[in-house]
Amino acid sequence: GFKSLVGKKFKDSIVQKEKSFVKQGVLETKDGGVGLQVKYLGKDTVVTPTQVAASLMVFLKDQAEKGLDSKLPECVIGCPPYWTEIERLAFLDAAKLAGINVSRLMNETTAVALDYGINLELAENSSKKSVFIDVGHSSTNVCAVEFWRKTGRVAGLKVLSTASAPGIGGRSFSQILFKYFAEQIKSKYNLDVSKKK
């Protein structure tokens, strides 16, 4: 999706690979960035992945404010752990465009670990190590964390390690299965289902 294009230059090898998965036309902008050809208000226009992210954030902000029945004062936004500083800054730019006050940008796998750890019951002066695996649409991320508790309510977590495989996710499994079954259908029925019509 567009998230893998945020903060990247058009000539980046990841952009070149991801182009085939994006429904909109992907082109190079004047500054060497990534542009997406879309129809907006009935007109063809080019937007950046940061602008697309901002539009999505506006929608999510509106939904959150309706659910809370109040304005969203600030929020924490998750991002892939393998993102570079440039990609993170582009995502923060998207939040700014959406009118969102971001108190922190957090790795998605760390956010999952934190959510898990909030209700974790640990004995005093003990710790527990856990691994969190996130197989997303187009990437897989792993995070090893140690939760600890001292005397009383003093507790916390420490991220021990993270690893990512950008480009390998649920989409990859779908492609492998499609290729396998397309070959089976072609050999059994002489029908090539891999051709677009």
Side-chain angles (χ1 to χ4, degrees):
F2 75 90
K3 197 163 93 171
S4 57
L5 305 175
V6 171
K8 294 221 180 358
K9 293 294 185 186
F10 180 78
K11 291 188 166 103
D12 188 302
S13 61
I14 292 171
V15 171
Q16 296 309 306
K17 181 181 174 192
E18 289 294 317
K19 280 192 329 185
S20 63
F21 298 109
V22 179
K23 291 183 180 181
Q24 298 75 20
V26 179
L27 51 88
E28 186 172 8
T29 58
K30 290 177 184 176
D31 65 353
V34 177
L36 302 168
Q37 293 175 310
V38 297
K39 274 214 182 287
Y40 181 68
L41 300 175
K43 295 181 180 179
D44 289 329
T45 189
V46 175
V47 296
T48 66
T50 300
Q51 290 170 315
V52 174
S55 295
L56 177 61
M57 288 180 193
V58 166
F59 172 77
L60 294 173
K61 176 185 165 195
D62 289 346
Q63 294 301 306
E65 289 178 345
K66 285 177 187 172
L68 293 169
D69 197 27
S70 68
K71 291 289 181 195
L72 192 67
E74 63 181 14
C75 74
V76 175
I77 295 180
C79 70
Y82 56 86
W83 266 11
T84 65
E85 196 63 27
I86 291 170
E87 291 162 312
R88 291 168 189 268
L89 290 172
F91 217 52
L92 288 171
D93 287 345
K96 192 173 189 178
L97 285 171
I100 297 174
N101 179 26
V102 179
S103 59
R104 182 176 181 142
L105 200 57
M106 181 180 283
N107 288 344
E108 293 163 340
T109 48
T110 303
V112 170
L114 182 61
D115 180 59
Y116 171 79
I118 286 174
N119 295 313
L120 183 63
E121 304 258 344
L122 287 174
E124 285 190 2
N125 298 312
S126 68
S127 65
K128 176 183 180 180
K129 293 179 182 169
S130 298
V131 174
F132 299 89
I133 302 170
D134 171 20
V135 179
H137 171 67
S138 60
S139 67
T140 299
N141 304 296
V142 178
C143 179
V145 175
E146 181 175 21
F147 299 95
W148 52 266
R149 180 174 172 209
K150 304 258 186 231
T151 307
R153 297 181 53 123
V154 178
L157 71 84
K158 179 181 180 182
V159 176
L160 302 173
S161 178
T162 61
S164 298
I168 300 175
R171 175 179 71 188
S172 307
F173 302 122
S174 296
Q175 288 174 320
I176 291 166
L177 287 171
F178 177 79
K179 184 178 177 186
Y180 172 79
F181 285 112
E183 289 170 358
Q184 295 297 311
I185 291 167
K186 187 170 184 177
S187 68
K188 190 170 184 177
Y189 301 107
N190 198 29
L191 178 64
D192 190 355
V193 296
S194 65
K195 301 266 190 223
K196 290 184 180 180
K197 289 191 178 192

PDB file of all heavy atoms in Angstrom, residues 61-74:
ATOM      1  N   LYS A  61      -9.146  10.547  12.845  1.00  0.00           N
ATOM      2  CA  LYS A  61      -9.316  11.551  13.899  1.00  0.00           C
ATOM      3  C   LYS A  61     -10.795  11.863  14.082  1.00  0.00           C
ATOM      4  O   LYS A  61     -11.301  11.913  15.215  1.00  0.00           O
ATOM      5  CB  LYS A  61      -8.539  12.810  13.535  1.00  0.00           C
ATOM      6  CG  LYS A  61      -8.720  13.953  14.513  1.00  0.00           C
ATOM      7  CD  LYS A  61      -8.014  15.196  14.005  1.00  0.00           C
ATOM      8  CE  LYS A  61      -8.487  16.411  14.751  1.00  0.00           C
ATOM      9  NZ  LYS A  61      -8.117  17.656  14.107  1.00  0.00           N
ATOM     10  N   ASP A  62     -11.510  12.059  12.974  1.00  0.00           N
ATOM     11  CA  ASP A  62     -12.952  12.345  13.047  1.00  0.00           C
ATOM     12  C   ASP A  62     -13.704  11.208  13.720  1.00  0.00           C
ATOM     13  O   ASP A  62     -14.585  11.437  14.553  1.00  0.00           O
ATOM     14  CB  ASP A  62     -13.527  12.604  11.653  1.00  0.00           C
ATOM     15  CG  ASP A  62     -13.066  13.927  11.054  1.00  0.00           C
ATOM     16  OD1 ASP A  62     -12.520  14.775  11.809  1.00  0.00           O
ATOM     17  OD2 ASP A  62     -13.222  14.111   9.826  1.00  0.00           O
ATOM     18  N   GLN A  63     -13.350   9.965  13.352  1.00  0.00           N
ATOM     19  CA  GLN A  63     -14.009   8.803  13.965  1.00  0.00           C
ATOM     20  C   GLN A  63     -13.720   8.726  15.459  1.00  0.00           C
ATOM     21  O   GLN A  63     -14.618   8.450  16.261  1.00  0.00           O
ATOM     22  CB  GLN A  63     -13.556   7.510  13.276  1.00  0.00           C
ATOM     23  CG  GLN A  63     -13.990   7.402  11.828  1.00  0.00           C
ATOM     24  CD  GLN A  63     -15.504   7.466  11.675  1.00  0.00           C
ATOM     25  OE1 GLN A  63     -16.234   6.703  12.294  1.00  0.00           O
ATOM     26  NE2 GLN A  63     -15.981   8.388  10.860  1.00  0.00           N
ATOM     27  N   ALA A  64     -12.474   8.980  15.842  1.00  0.00           N
ATOM     28  CA  ALA A  64     -12.101   8.940  17.264  1.00  0.00           C
ATOM     29  C   ALA A  64     -12.840  10.024  18.042  1.00  0.00           C
ATOM     30  O   ALA A  64     -13.354   9.773  19.143  1.00  0.00           O
ATOM     31  CB  ALA A  64     -10.593   9.103  17.417  1.00  0.00           C
ATOM     32  N   GLU A  65     -12.908  11.235  17.475  1.00  0.00           N
ATOM     33  CA  GLU A  65     -13.583  12.332  18.161  1.00  0.00           C
ATOM     34  C   GLU A  65     -15.082  12.066  18.297  1.00  0.00           C
ATOM     35  O   GLU A  65     -15.680  12.406  19.320  1.00  0.00           O
ATOM     36  CB  GLU A  65     -13.313  13.652  17.444  1.00  0.00           C
ATOM     37  CG  GLU A  65     -11.876  14.119  17.625  1.00  0.00           C
ATOM     38  CD  GLU A  65     -11.541  15.409  16.901  1.00  0.00           C
ATOM     39  OE1 GLU A  65     -12.321  15.840  16.009  1.00  0.00           O
ATOM     40  OE2 GLU A  65     -10.486  15.982  17.210  1.00  0.00           O
ATOM     41  N   LYS A  66     -15.676  11.440  17.295  1.00  0.00           N
ATOM     42  CA  LYS A  66     -17.097  11.073  17.406  1.00  0.00           C
ATOM     43  C   LYS A  66     -17.281  10.036  18.505  1.00  0.00           C
ATOM     44  O   LYS A  66     -18.227  10.109  19.293  1.00  0.00           O
ATOM     45  CB  LYS A  66     -17.616  10.525  16.072  1.00  0.00           C
ATOM     46  CG  LYS A  66     -17.852  11.586  15.036  1.00  0.00           C
ATOM     47  CD  LYS A  66     -18.305  10.966  13.723  1.00  0.00           C
ATOM     48  CE  LYS A  66     -18.374  12.032  12.649  1.00  0.00           C
ATOM     49  NZ  LYS A  66     -18.617  11.468  11.309  1.00  0.00           N
ATOM     50  N   GLY A  67     -16.398   9.059  18.556  1.00  0.00           N
ATOM     51  CA  GLY A  67     -16.491   8.014  19.579  1.00  0.00           C
ATOM     52  C   GLY A  67     -16.253   8.546  20.983  1.00  0.00           C
ATOM     53  O   GLY A  67     -16.876   8.087  21.936  1.00  0.00           O
ATOM     54  N   LEU A  68     -15.341   9.503  21.105  1.00  0.00           N
ATOM     55  CA  LEU A  68     -15.032  10.082  22.413  1.00  0.00           C
ATOM     56  C   LEU A  68     -15.994  11.201  22.799  1.00  0.00           C
ATOM     57  O   LEU A  68     -16.051  11.604  23.948  1.00  0.00           O
ATOM     58  CB  LEU A  68     -13.600  10.663  22.403  1.00  0.00           C
ATOM     59  CG  LEU A  68     -12.458   9.673  22.272  1.00  0.00           C
ATOM     60  CD1 LEU A  68     -11.148  10.417  22.005  1.00  0.00           C
ATOM     61  CD2 LEU A  68     -12.345   8.819  23.522  1.00  0.00           C
ATOM     62  N   ASP A  69     -16.693  11.716  21.806  1.00  0.00           N
ATOM     63  CA  ASP A  69     -17.572  12.864  21.974  1.00  0.00           C
ATOM     64  C   ASP A  69     -16.808  14.075  22.521  1.00  0.00           C
ATOM     65  O   ASP A  69     -17.292  14.828  23.350  1.00  0.00           O
ATOM     66  CB  ASP A  69     -18.763  12.517  22.879  1.00  0.00           C
ATOM     67  CG  ASP A  69     -19.893  13.545  22.748  1.00  0.00           C
ATOM     68  OD1 ASP A  69     -20.007  14.167  21.671  1.00  0.00           O
ATOM     69  OD2 ASP A  69     -20.641  13.725  23.729  1.00  0.00           O
ATOM     70  N   SER A  70     -15.565  14.211  22.058  1.00  0.00           N
ATOM     71  CA  SER A  70     -14.740  15.366  22.423  1.00  0.00           C
ATOM     72  C   SER A  70     -13.582  15.478  21.438  1.00  0.00           C
ATOM     73  O   SER A  70     -13.328  14.560  20.664  1.00  0.00           O
ATOM     74  CB  SER A  70     -14.198  15.228  23.855  1.00  0.00           C
ATOM     75  OG  SER A  70     -13.265  14.181  23.926  1.00  0.00           O
ATOM     76  N   LYS A  71     -12.906  16.602  21.484  1.00  0.00           N
ATOM     77  CA  LYS A  71     -11.751  16.813  20.614  1.00  0.00           C
ATOM     78  C   LYS A  71     -10.590  15.930  21.061  1.00  0.00           C
ATOM     79  O   LYS A  71     -10.442  15.629  22.242  1.00  0.00           O
ATOM     80  CB  LYS A  71     -11.313  18.281  20.621  1.00  0.00           C
ATOM     81  CG  LYS A  71     -12.300  19.201  19.952  1.00  0.00           C
ATOM     82  CD  LYS A  71     -12.281  18.982  18.456  1.00  0.00           C
ATOM     83  CE  LYS A  71     -13.262  19.910  17.752  1.00  0.00           C
ATOM     84  NZ  LYS A  71     -13.495  19.475  16.390  1.00  0.00           N
ATOM     85  N   LEU A  72      -9.778  15.541  20.096  1.00  0.00           N
ATOM     86  CA  LEU A  72      -8.604  14.712  20.376  1.00  0.00           C
ATOM     87  C   LEU A  72      -7.446  15.646  20.720  1.00  0.00           C
ATOM     88  O   LEU A  72      -6.916  16.321  19.833  1.00  0.00           O
ATOM     89  CB  LEU A  72      -8.276  13.879  19.130  1.00  0.00           C
ATOM     90  CG  LEU A  72      -7.283  12.757  19.257  1.00  0.00           C
ATOM     91  CD1 LEU A  72      -7.845  11.647  20.140  1.00  0.00           C
ATOM     92  CD2 LEU A  72      -6.965  12.189  17.885  1.00  0.00           C
ATOM     93  N   PRO A  73      -7.030  15.713  21.998  1.00  0.00           N
ATOM     94  CA  PRO A  73      -5.978  16.673  22.357  1.00  0.00           C
ATOM     95  C   PRO A  73      -4.612  16.281  21.796  1.00  0.00           C
ATOM     96  O   PRO A  73      -3.854  17.134  21.355  1.00  0.00           O
ATOM     97  CB  PRO A  73      -5.976  16.657  23.880  1.00  0.00           C
ATOM     98  CG  PRO A  73      -6.585  15.351  24.258  1.00  0.00           C
ATOM     99  CD  PRO A  73      -7.515  14.967  23.141  1.00  0.00           C
ATOM    100  N   GLU A  74      -4.304  14.992  21.825  1.00  0.00           N
ATOM    101  CA  GLU A  74      -3.035  14.500  21.306  1.00  0.00           C
ATOM    102  C   GLU A  74      -3.142  12.996  21.125  1.00  0.00           C
ATOM    103  O   GLU A  74      -4.076  12.366  21.623  1.00  0.00           O
ATOM    104  CB  GLU A  74      -1.873  14.835  22.243  1.00  0.00           C
ATOM    105  CG  GLU A  74      -1.963  14.188  23.603  1.00  0.00           C
ATOM    106  CD  GLU A  74      -0.812  14.573  24.508  1.00  0.00           C
ATOM    107  OE1 GLU A  74      -0.087  15.521  24.207  1.00  0.00           O
ATOM    108  OE2 GLU A  74      -0.643  13.896  25.533  1.00  0.00           O
TER     109      GLU A  74
END
